[in-house]
Amino acid sequence: MAKKSKEIPYSEAIGELEQILARLRSGQLGINELTESVKRAKELIAICRSQLVATREELEKIINDNTTL
């Protein structure tokens, strides 16, 4: 599998998730790979969620900051 760093870009995390899903759907994963792939997918989902929350908070701050106008 790819990187395990939590500092990967959102687009890379989504791409890796798509690869995992494709392998799951195609039945290409053995039982040992299945466990590791599900664990990695969970990590990637957490990374994406964290980045989305951070982006949303930053955008809300920008929108609600009246001093920049």
Side-chain angles (χ1 to χ4, degrees):
M1 276 181 232
K3 300 176 188 176
K4 293 211 176 195
S5 168
K6 292 192 177 197
E7 298 301 320
I8 64 174
Y10 180 84
S11 59
E12 188 176 325
I14 290 293
E16 190 176 340
L17 272 170
E18 289 172 347
Q19 290 174 356
I20 291 170
L21 286 172
R23 292 185 71 205
L24 285 168
R25 289 181 181 134
S26 70
Q28 293 178 356
L29 295 175
I31 194 74
N32 294 332
E33 289 178 305
L34 176 63
T35 301
E36 290 304 312
S37 292
V38 170
K39 286 179 185 178
R40 180 62 178 155
K42 184 178 175 181
E43 291 173 359
L44 292 165
I45 290 167
I47 290 166
C48 290
R49 182 175 289 134
S50 174
Q51 290 180 11
L52 286 170
V53 168
T55 300
R56 183 190 71 218
E57 289 171 353
E58 186 175 347
L59 288 172
E60 287 174 352
K61 183 179 176 185
I62 291 168
I63 291 168
N64 294 324
D65 185 7
N66 294 327
T67 61
T68 59
L69 295 177

